[in-house]
């Protein structure tokens, strides 16, 4: 087998190959998707048996029956706190339990009372609390409509595409389960009535082959499907990860969007193929309302989208209007999963921020990272040895470019044995880490979840002796090929396995590690080079469950266990930083993600924006793309533009493939070094604002990098924009992503809004498309009028070196000559932020700028002070007075630029954590 592995790796590492689509299934090649997609909209065979309805204070239950085969299902309906509805559908009495996803919800969602408004033989009407909000459950065929007033907000099974493949005995009894047979004979409810239509077995129900791999499918067909209709909606978003547009496309003329975590080599752009992560959450938006659907299922899932306005040109829509067509726009979405149950959360908004809050209440918020992780990260596959690391570190100092983390890829280990160091190239890792620590810098080392099968390797021996490996279908340890060669895969779905894994990060276990070493989990889809679709066989076993049931949460569990290990090693004091490639709903609680193995191409630079915007919409704010592109080599223009874009994305890391030429920022001539330096320095000056945004994301679940429609939900011009974005509410960024660009056109939203160019302080009105001439140094960024943004102008070698440095406040006045902002300060690295921090409201009104404590109960002190205040859109005062919390008054020096209406207050000198007022007179 070894020569085959060598050949495979040669292809994988060549860097000249594009994705081989033949390695990955289409819907037609995935038997359950093909089966389900063959069902066409029409009258549903499912009927609600109203006589079985039970209504308690917390839920409604009733049985559904499929009139074709007489199989019964159990429907559970819950009204949840926070304007959400939960719908669960399972078999009434399955032959064996069906998988229900654990650990993703942060708690069992609290319910609110459901009340019955009316009932007859056709259905029931239930109140959702608010006077005009209700659920109509129709019996024949089964259908759910969520109403507000006279409007349908969302319908379930309105197109009759509910499907639930019940577990059954295989007709040839050679593989029959005698216990299940007994259960069928003894329990009539488990066995469909004799009068049912004979269901014929189709290809792929009981065994399926793709290329050379056979899936034994011992449980037979088990797919579930449900359709959702969204009247009035033309724009839907989410369901990452796909290298596609922000606004999801209709799928009638191609494959559905696929959610199945896969290691896709050199992925293609603008198609619905699966990538490394899967978050089964979709948002729907129009000018009146935002809603969301969270489909809690960890099996392979396909999502079909259709629309009655798809393909209509602007002219066609105008013609409809002129001719008086009253067809309401509608988007229909169908979810199809291979196994498990239907467990869906309907988030009813009605605002975008309500939906973010609702989803965060279910799956948690973005982990609050250490400040250093918000800085710049330098990575490649691979820095060769300790001398190479030291040289790169020194290069940043020599060229006056700040950075916080340097990264080591797989070659730093002893023969791809994770938790080890190459004894020759990294012989004294603590010495290396201490050298970085002395400069207040850190390192990330990779720890992948495939474990080299080697009897001399402690980690492997421990996992095998504890029987922690995933098993193959025959009960032996599952083995596949990955970077070390033959590898085992720990079963991270087991809590005891995760506990053991976490313990391996202890300083006395992970030899050579120190507190400034954090972790990168790659290849955790999981990647299996010789497996079907470069991943694990679906009939591998995690205890009682098949891999098909849990596939999409494997990477979630790897990152969970790793983050817990980093927390434990510090005694619960230090915030961890863990980057993962594979992810699921809830992964935001454990760290950062990136968009995987991109390429040094302009289109890949462009796609990084909608990819990260999509992730932010579903809770994962800490997102970035490999700056410069992982595969291939960027020309200098592309590299510079990528740094300028990456500096304004939440996770800012340069990374490159083993076979690419070195590309540290100073290797492209003094002019390009200066341009890259300036982009990185802009990141560092804005760290106070970035850190505040991470704090808000952690507290509220709102995205950091967000589409414009989140803040301007009634402006249709924003609904499909994906070449510009907001950071928080107050910074609008339109990166230059076109080769040879001499200008960009940015849409500045807000009819009564003004925006200030952060570089020139030029004021522009909102609700316009603004053409901006650009040069190679240009990064078009605008500050919203009405905002106050803190910066630190003195850039040092790392974020930790800037902790006590002074602040400059940029106050951008709106048309009402007011502004608001916040300042947040903590120690930057521990969990003490929960009680020890500074959080202040900054506000400007009636010519007074004030700082007020938002958290008087919190205890924290800072040496930082306010050294400058820049007021944009100001008038010239005759004098400026500072009044501090001790009652002292003093005059403040100022300059006024009449041509730009910019007032600069110099060295007011108050502590950043104090109460004060600055009065313009």
């Amino acid at each position: 087998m070894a020569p085959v592995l060598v050949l495979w790796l040669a292809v994988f590492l060549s860097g000249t190959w594009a994705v081989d689509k033949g390695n990955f299934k289409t819907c037609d090649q995935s038997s359950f998707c093909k089966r389900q997609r063959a069902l066409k909209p029409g009258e549903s065979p499912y009927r609600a048996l109203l006589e079985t309805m039970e209504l308690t204070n917390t839920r409604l239950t009733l049985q559904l029956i499929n009139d074709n085969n007489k199989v019964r299902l159990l429907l559970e309906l819950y009204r949840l706190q926070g304007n959400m509805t939960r719908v669960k559908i399972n078999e009434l009495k399955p032959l064996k339990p069906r998988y229900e996803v654990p650990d993703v919800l942060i708690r069992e969602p609290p319910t609110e009372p459901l009340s019955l408004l009316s009932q007859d033989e056709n259905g029931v009407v239930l109140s959702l609390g608010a006077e005009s909000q209700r659920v109509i459950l129709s019996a024949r065929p089964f259908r759910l409509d969520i109403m507000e007033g006279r409007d349908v907000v969302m319908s379930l099974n309105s197109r009759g595409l509910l499907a639930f493949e019940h577990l059954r005995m295989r007709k040839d009894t050679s593989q029959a389960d005698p216990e299940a047979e007994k259960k069928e004979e003894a329990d009539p409810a488990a066995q469909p009535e004799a009068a049912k239509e004979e269901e014929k077995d189709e290809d792929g129900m009981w065994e399926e082959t793709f290329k050379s791999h056979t899936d034994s499918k011992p449980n037979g067909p088990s797919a579930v499907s449900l359709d959702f209709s969204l009247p009035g909606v033309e724009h839907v978003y989410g369901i990452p990860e796909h290298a596609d547009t922000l606004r999801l496309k209709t799928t009638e003329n191609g494959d559905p969007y696929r959610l199945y975590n896969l290691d896709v080599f050199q992925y293609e752009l603008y198609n619905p193929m699966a990538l490394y992560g899967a978050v089964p959450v979709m948002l729907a938006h129009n000018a009146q309302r935002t809603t969301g659907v969270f489909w809690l299922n960890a099996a392979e899932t396909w999502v079909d989208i259709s629309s009655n306005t798809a393909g209509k040109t602007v002219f066609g829509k105008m013609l409809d209007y002129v001719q008086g067509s009253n067809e309401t726009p509608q988007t229909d979405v169908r979810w199809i999963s291979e196994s498990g149950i239907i467990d869906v959360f309907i988030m009813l908004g009605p605002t975008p921020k309500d939906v973010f809050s609702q989803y965060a209440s279910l799956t948690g918020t973005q982990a609050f990272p250490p400040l250093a992780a918000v800085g710049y990260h330098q990575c490649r596959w691979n820095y060769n040895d300790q001398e190479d690391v030291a040289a790169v570190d020194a290069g940043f100092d020599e060229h006056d470019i700040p950075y916080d983390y340097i990264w080591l890829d797989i070659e730093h280990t002893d023969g791809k044995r994770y938790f080890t160091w190459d004894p020759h190239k990294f012989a004294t890792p603590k010495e290396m880490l201490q050298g970085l620590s002395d400069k207040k810098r850190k390192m990330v080392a990779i720890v992948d979840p495939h474990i080299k099968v080697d009897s001399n390797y402690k980690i492997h021996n421990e996992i095998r002796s504890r029987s922690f490996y995933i098993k193959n279908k025959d009960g032996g340890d599952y083995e596949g090929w990955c970077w070390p060669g033959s590898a085992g895969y720990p079963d991270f779905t087991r809590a005891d396995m995760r506990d053991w894994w976490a313990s391996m990060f202890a300083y006395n276990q992970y030899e050579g590690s120190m507190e400034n070493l954090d972790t990168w989990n790659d290849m955790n889809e999981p990647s299996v080079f010789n497996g079907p679709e470069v991943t694990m066989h679906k009939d591998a076993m995690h205890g009682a469950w098949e891999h098909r049931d849990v596939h999409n949460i494997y990477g979630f569990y790897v990152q969970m266990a790793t983050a817990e290990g980093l927390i434990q090693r510090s005694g619960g004091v230090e915030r961890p930083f863990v980057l993962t490639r594979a992810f699921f709903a809830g992964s935001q609680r454990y760290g950062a993600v990136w968009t995987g193995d991109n390429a040094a191409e302009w289109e890949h630079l462009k796609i990084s924006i909608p990819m990260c915007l999509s992730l932010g919409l579903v809770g994962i704010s800490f997102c970035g793309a490999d700056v410069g592109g992982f595969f291939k080599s960027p020309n200098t223009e592309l590299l510079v533009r990528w740094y300028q874009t990456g500096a304004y994305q939440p996770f800012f890391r340069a990374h490159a493939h083993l076979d690419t030429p070195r590309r540290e920022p100073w290797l492209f001539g003094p002019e390009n070094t200066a341009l890259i330096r300036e982009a990185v320095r802009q990141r560092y000056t804005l760290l106070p604002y970035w850190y505040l945004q991470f704090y808000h994301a952690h507290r509220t679940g709102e995205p950091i990098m967000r589409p414009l429609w989140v803040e301007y939900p009634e402006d249709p011009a924003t609904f499909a924009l994906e070449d510009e974005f907001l950071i928080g509410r107050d910074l609008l960024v339109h990166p230059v992503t076109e080769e040879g660009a001499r200008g960009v056109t940015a849409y500045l939203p807000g009819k009564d809004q003004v925006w200030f160019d952060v570089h020139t302080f030029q004021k522009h009105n909102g609700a316009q498309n603004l053409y901006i001439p650009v040069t190679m140094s240009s990064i078009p960024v605008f500050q919203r009028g009405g905002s106050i943004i803190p910066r630190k102008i003195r850039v040092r070698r790392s974020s930790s070196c800037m902790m006590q440095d002074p602040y400059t406040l940029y106050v951008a006045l709106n048309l009402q000559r007011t502004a608001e902002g916040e300042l947040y300060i903590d120690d930057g690295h521990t969990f003490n932020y929960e009680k020890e921090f500074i959080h202040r409201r900054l506000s400007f009104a009636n010519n007074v700028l004030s700082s007020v404590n938002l958290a008087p109960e919190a205890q924290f002190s800072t040496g930082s002070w306010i050294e400058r205040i820049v007021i944009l859109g100001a008038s010239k005062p005759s004098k400026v007075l500072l009044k501090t919390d001790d009652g002292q008054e003093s005059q403040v020096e100022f300059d006024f630029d009449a041509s730009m209406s910019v007032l600069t207050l110099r060295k007011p000198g108050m502590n950043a954590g104090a109460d004060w007022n600055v009065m313009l007179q």
Side-chain angles (χ1 to χ4, degrees), residues 693-704:
Q693 301 315 308
F694 273 96
Y695 180 72
H696 278 308
H698 177 62
R699 291 295 185 206
T700 68
E702 293 175 14
I704 295 171

Side-chain angles (χ1 to χ4, degrees), residues 131-189:
E131 194 172 308
S132 62
Q133 224 174 55
R134 59 202 187 283
V135 176
I136 300 174
L137 190 159
S138 303
R140 185 190 292 265
F142 164 68
R143 167 177 173 152
L144 287 175
D145 291 284
I146 298 175
M147 309 284 296
E148 185 158 291
R150 300 178 64 178
D151 296 327
V152 179
V153 178
M154 190 180 302
S155 301
L156 284 66
N157 201 37
S158 60
R159 296 192 300 146
L161 292 171
L162 167 63
F164 209 105
E165 294 183 334
H166 62 284
L167 299 179
R168 67 199 77 178
M169 299 303 305
R170 190 167 185 175
K171 285 176 190 161
D172 75 57
T173 54
S174 61
Q175 294 186 25
D177 177 347
E179 291 302 312
E181 271 188 337
K182 285 179 195 169
K183 182 176 177 185
E184 279 200 335
E185 290 163 8
D187 188 348

Side-chain angles (χ1 to χ4, degrees), residues 656-678:
H657 188 278
L658 185 73
D659 288 343
T660 61
R662 294 290 284 256
R663 61 167 93 134
E664 283 72 45
W666 51 87
L667 296 179
F668 302 89
E671 186 178 332
N672 291 306
T673 300
L675 291 169
I676 293 170
R677 178 191 300 115
E678 174 57 23

Side-chain angles (χ1 to χ4, degrees), residues 58-59 78-88 101 104-112 294 296 343-347 358-364:
T58 59
R59 69 172 183 169
Y78 302 82
R79 175 185 162 213
L80 302 183
Q81 284 183 14
N83 204 21
M84 292 181 286
T85 300
R86 183 180 192 178
V87 178
K88 291 180 75 172
V101 178
V104 167
L105 301 179
I106 55 175
R107 59 176 174 168
E108 191 61 27
T111 58
E112 292 190 334
F294 172 26
L296 182 52
D343 190 1
V344 62
F345 297 83
I346 299 164
M347 299 170 284
Q358 289 155 1
Y359 181 62
S361 75
L362 298 172
T363 68

Side-chain angles (χ1 to χ4, degrees), residues 8 12 24 260-266 274-276 482-483 522-523 525-529 533-535 581 597:
W8 200 99
F12 194 90
F24 304 101
Y260 190 58
N261 294 358
L262 291 172
D263 180 358
V264 182
F265 177 76
Q266 290 211 8
L275 286 179
Y276 311 98
C482 210
W483 296 125
D522 197 3
M523 315 297 285
E525 293 76 26
S527 179
V528 183
F529 291 164
E533 302 192 89
V534 201
T535 194
R581 190 169 72 176
D597 297 342

Side-chain angles (χ1 to χ4, degrees), residues 726-872:
L726 292 165
I727 302 167
R729 294 174 56 206
D730 299 334
L731 281 182
L732 186 153
V733 186
H734 190 304
V736 181
T737 58
E738 292 283 348
E739 186 172 15
R742 296 187 176 182
V744 298
T745 300
Y747 180 70
L748 303 181
K751 193 173 82 170
D752 300 315
Q753 192 80 65
V754 291
W755 295 87
F756 293 87
D757 185 312
V758 301
H759 309 297
T760 66
F761 303 147
Q762 181 75 42
K763 182 167 77 172
H764 303 281
N765 291 325
Q768 68 158 319
N769 287 297
L770 178 69
Y771 180 78
I772 307 150
V774 298
T775 65
M776 277 307 297
S777 64
S778 302
I779 314 176
V781 182
F782 300 87
Q783 181 174 343
R784 184 180 63 84
S787 67
I788 302 174
I789 290 181
R791 296 176 185 244
K792 287 192 173 183
I793 302 303
R794 304 182 189 184
V795 175
R796 303 186 192 275
R797 66 159 66 105
S798 72
S799 62
S800 295
C801 295
M802 299 166 61
M803 282 295 293
Q804 301 299 324
D805 281 350
Y807 290 89
T808 295
L809 304 181
Y810 285 80
V811 182
L813 301 183
N814 59 20
L815 295 175
Q816 293 74 41
R817 299 182 56 76
T818 64
E820 270 198 349
E822 294 173 47
L823 182 62
Y824 176 83
I825 307 170
D826 62 22
D827 66 19
H829 60 97
T830 74
F831 284 103
N832 292 343
Y833 72 83
E834 292 168 354
K835 55 185 182 297
E836 297 177 9
F837 60 93
I838 293 167
H839 191 193
R840 305 198 67 83
R841 166 79 64 208
L842 307 171
S843 57
F844 184 95
N846 301 316
N847 283 328
V848 177
L849 176 64
S850 59
S851 173
V852 177
N853 196 351
L854 286 174
E857 74 290 348
Q859 301 299 311
F860 192 70
S861 59
T862 179
S864 295
W865 51 286
I866 310 298
E867 72 168 342
R868 187 181 296 107
I869 298 170
V870 181
I871 304 177
L872 312 180

Side-chain angles (χ1 to χ4, degrees), residues 147-273:
M147 309 284 296
E148 185 158 291
R150 300 178 64 178
D151 296 327
V152 179
V153 178
M154 190 180 302
S155 301
L156 284 66
N157 201 37
S158 60
R159 296 192 300 146
L161 292 171
L162 167 63
F164 209 105
E165 294 183 334
H166 62 284
L167 299 179
R168 67 199 77 178
M169 299 303 305
R170 190 167 185 175
K171 285 176 190 161
D172 75 57
T173 54
S174 61
Q175 294 186 25
D177 177 347
E179 291 302 312
E181 271 188 337
K182 285 179 195 169
K183 182 176 177 185
E184 279 200 335
E185 290 163 8
D187 188 348
Q191 170 67 28
E193 296 169 28
K196 71 175 184 177
E197 293 179 10
E198 187 65 24
E199 292 179 308
K200 63 177 187 292
D201 285 350
E202 298 177 29
D203 284 348
M205 276 187 167
W206 293 94
E207 186 176 271
E208 184 172 0
T209 299
F210 178 67
K211 301 187 83 169
S212 61
H213 300 283
T214 298
D215 176 4
S216 64
K217 292 197 173 179
N219 295 320
S222 58
V224 297
S225 168
L226 183 60
D227 64 276
F228 299 76
S229 293
L230 302 159
V233 169
E234 295 183 80
H235 293 80
V236 290
Y237 311 89
I239 58 169
E241 183 176 36
H242 300 97
D244 207 351
T245 52
L246 173 65
R247 177 195 180 184
L248 297 170
K249 298 168 182 167
T250 56
T251 58
E252 295 111 310
N253 298 320
D255 263 6
Y257 284 98
R258 191 183 188 198
L259 294 172
Y260 190 58
N261 294 358
L262 291 172
D263 180 358
V264 182
F265 177 76
Q266 290 211 8
Y267 55 82
E268 265 188 26
L269 307 186
Y270 302 107
N271 72 47
M273 287 177 67

